Amino acid sequence: MTADPTATATPDTDWYDRDTRTIAGVEKLRFFPQVAATGHGTYLITPSGRQVLDLSASWTASGLGHGHPRIVEAVTAAMAAPPGASLLSGTHPHAVRLAEELLDLVPTTGRHRRGVYLGHAGTDANDVALRAARNATGRRRIIAFEHGYHGGLGTSMAISGVHIDAGASPEPDLTLVPYPDPYRPWIDPDTLLADTMALVQRHLADGDVAAVIVEPIQSDGGVIVPPAGFLTRLRVLTRKYAALLVVDEVKVGLSRTGHLMAHHIEDVVPDIVTLGKALGGGLPLSAAIGPASALDTPAASALMTTIGNPVSCAAGLAVLDILRDGALAHAAQDRGAQLTEALRHYAASDRPGAAHIGDIRGRGLAIGVELVEPGTKTPDPVLAAKAVLAGWHLGIIAYPVRGNVIEITPPLTITHDEVTTATHLLTEAIDWAALGHVTDDDIAPYSGW
Ligand SMILES: *Cc1c(COP(=O)(O)O)cnc(C)c1O
């Protein structure tokens, strides 16, 4: 970097070094020496007082911004007089109300009665959903999509293409199908959707499939927006072959795409919908919503002591309350359009990094910027690593997914002016990387995905 590497340690580097000596198991997802002491709205603030614009929102877990006053108020009240810490052997109004509201907001199948599992993370919500599907159908096979992401432990991990790409053992009864990626179609682009559906159908026709699990936008797989009709056709096929359709809304659900649920862009009623990340407003909270006949069974239950934790549930209720009037869904559309337009303008310019932009895509405030070698579609993950490191030094947080795609998922509360600043800094960062201001040595300490 152009910054002087011999400069004396700041409080920021000191915390990062102490983290390196003490914290286990996260090294693979570090992209730059990010340290924050506090946060406020769209900003994280380092111990030395530097304000950094957060375009990740902690991978969307702070989807409504850091320290949203209404969430703080709800959490503070719940924590000051908590009705215990667990839902296991006794209930409390926070969990019951949250479940009722989720049932209201998220249509699924379930003719007689529907239910909500309230967990800690997308990982356990998806595990529960798949256990429920297997138990309800008496079948074992799961169809998931290549390069998908559904969680970091257990079955959720073992069906995640991203983990399997990285060498994890796949679930024994797993079939991975290519996701219909319009930018990098696995087959003739004119027949991409039809051929993908034919492949799914061929596997479903074997009759042993319990569930198809799908992300409405494949996020960690590269922010891939599938062609229109994909979810509708998955719904038709899963119904025909009596498999459950599990829609994983953990990352792009809850208004990020401009719709309360990303799958609402099509007229689809899933069997099970899973939520997480933004649902907790910064606290651990997830949900699986679907037919009680599947979810409300011993086989699907997850006996973890603090599931339905009242403080997390109070945060979840505040999040739903904030989203209720639809204003942030609209804002996601407007700010997303502003961001996308500014980035397209940059890509069409003669600035140093412009020729490295292969594609800009997304929906609302779930945006991917794909970096490639100029004039080709060859992914350039090294350039992406350099660009996000430069971004950190310039004052933004954005992480790469699938190696070469910079994912932009800021808090939905991001303002017009903050988007202007963000695109200025992001394009500057891509220019820096393209101009060679960031070296291979600079990025060597960060292994990324
Ligand atoms: C992050 C993510 C998960 C896993 O959620 P965790 O809270 O990290 O366990 C599942 N599905 C999708 C689509 C995600 O982005």
Side-chain angles (χ1 to χ4, degrees):
M1 302 288 302
T2 47
D4 178 4
T6 62
T8 48
T10 66
D12 302 354
T13 56
D14 179 53
W15 282 112
Y16 200 81
D17 293 344
R18 286 164 66 182
D19 165 287
T20 305
R21 290 196 293 274
T22 52
I23 311 274
V26 291
E27 160 212 5
K28 285 213 169 76
L29 270 183
R30 296 285 173 82
F31 304 98
F32 36 78
Q34 179 182 329
V35 183
T38 60
H40 181 71
T42 318
Y43 284 92
L44 290 179
I45 295 118
T46 74
S48 64
R50 195 165 73 92
Q51 302 224 3
V52 185
L53 203 45
D54 186 1
L55 304 185
S56 166
S58 300
W59 294 105
T60 75
S62 301
L64 303 189
H66 304 289
H68 192 295
R70 284 165 68 184
I71 301 174
V72 172
E73 189 187 346
V75 164
T76 307
M79 192 64 210
S86 171
L87 188 60
L88 275 189
S89 300
T91 196
H92 55 81
H94 298 297
V96 173
R97 283 177 45 219
L98 180 59
E100 287 171 352
E101 295 206 8
L102 287 170
L103 288 170
D104 236 31
L105 289 171
V106 188
T108 66
T109 62
R111 201 167 323 167
H112 304 297
R113 193 166 67 82
R114 303 192 305 129
V116 180
Y117 162 80
L118 291 172
H120 293 323
T123 298
D124 59 297
N126 282 328
D127 250 63
V128 162
L130 295 175
R131 284 159 64 177
R134 283 174 160 171
N135 185 57
T137 59
R139 304 168 176 178
R140 294 291 303 169
R141 183 156 299 279
I142 305 292
I143 294 180
F145 289 87
E146 290 174 7
H147 316 299
Y149 193 85
H150 301 291
L153 288 171
T155 306
S156 297
M157 177 174 182
I159 58 145
S160 290
V162 164
H163 286 299
I164 295 164
D165 294 343
S169 306
E171 181 81 0
D173 301 294
L174 172 69
T175 298
L176 287 180
V177 171
Y179 197 83
D181 177 349
Y183 182 69
R184 296 181 188 283
W186 62 277
I187 200 154
D188 182 350
D190 292 335
T191 57
L192 175 63
L193 186 57
D195 288 340
T196 305
M197 299 328 293
L199 198 54
V200 171
Q201 177 160 17
R202 199 170 331 135
H203 293 299
L204 281 167
D206 289 341
D208 63 346
V209 176
V212 175
I213 183 166
V214 65
E215 296 169 78
I217 292 177
Q218 201 181 52
S219 311
D220 294 340
V223 195
I224 296 160
V225 182
F230 175 51
L231 296 171
T232 305
R233 293 173 73 165
L234 276 180
R235 177 67 285 185
V236 169
L237 285 179
T238 45
R239 187 165 283 138
K240 176 167 180 192
Y241 293 98
L244 269 58
L245 178 62
V246 180
V247 176
D248 180 345
E249 291 269 0
V250 171
K251 191 156 204 179
V252 292
L254 294 170
S255 303
R256 177 158 295 282
T257 62
H259 304 267
L260 183 65
M261 296 292 137
H263 71 268
H264 288 172
I265 193 143
E266 294 188 28
D267 190 14
V268 168
V269 179
D271 295 301
I272 300 179
V273 173
T274 55
L275 291 172
K277 292 196 171 98
L279 181 63
L283 286 178
L285 178 66
S286 65
I289 304 146
S293 57
L295 283 171
D296 196 7
T297 59
S301 69
L303 283 186
M304 294 187 292
T305 308
T306 50
I307 58 171
N309 175 270
V311 180
S312 294
C313 288
L317 280 166
V319 166
L320 296 184
D321 197 43
I322 293 163
L323 296 178
R324 190 179 321 274
D325 66 6
L328 283 181
H330 273 111
Q333 274 173 0
D334 291 349
R335 298 287 77 80
Q338 184 193 348
L339 243 161
T340 306
E341 198 185 319
L343 291 171
R344 296 225 161 102
H345 187 73
Y346 168 75
S349 75
D350 55 7
R351 285 177 51 185
H356 297 264
I357 308 282
D359 195 27
I360 297 160
R361 55 183 175 251
R363 211 168 258 151
L365 283 172
I367 298 170
V369 181
E370 174 139 3
L371 298 187
V372 296
E373 291 171 13
T376 73
K377 283 191 178 183
T378 310
D380 196 341
V382 171
L383 188 73
K386 290 177 176 178
V388 300
L389 176 58
W392 165 253
H393 286 282
L394 289 168
I396 53 168
I397 293 169
Y399 307 125
V401 291
R402 190 84 178 273
N404 72 315
V405 180
I406 301 177
E407 183 183 79
I408 305 173
T409 55
L412 304 187
T413 49
I414 192 169
T415 66
H416 186 280
D417 287 354
E418 286 167 350
V419 167
T420 304
T421 307
T423 47
H424 172 71
L425 295 176
L426 177 62
T427 55
E428 189 80 6
I430 297 170
D431 282 348
W432 271 34
L435 287 169
H437 292 342
V438 188
T439 68
D440 290 348
D441 283 349
D442 290 329
I443 58 168
Y446 311 105
S447 50
W449 281 97

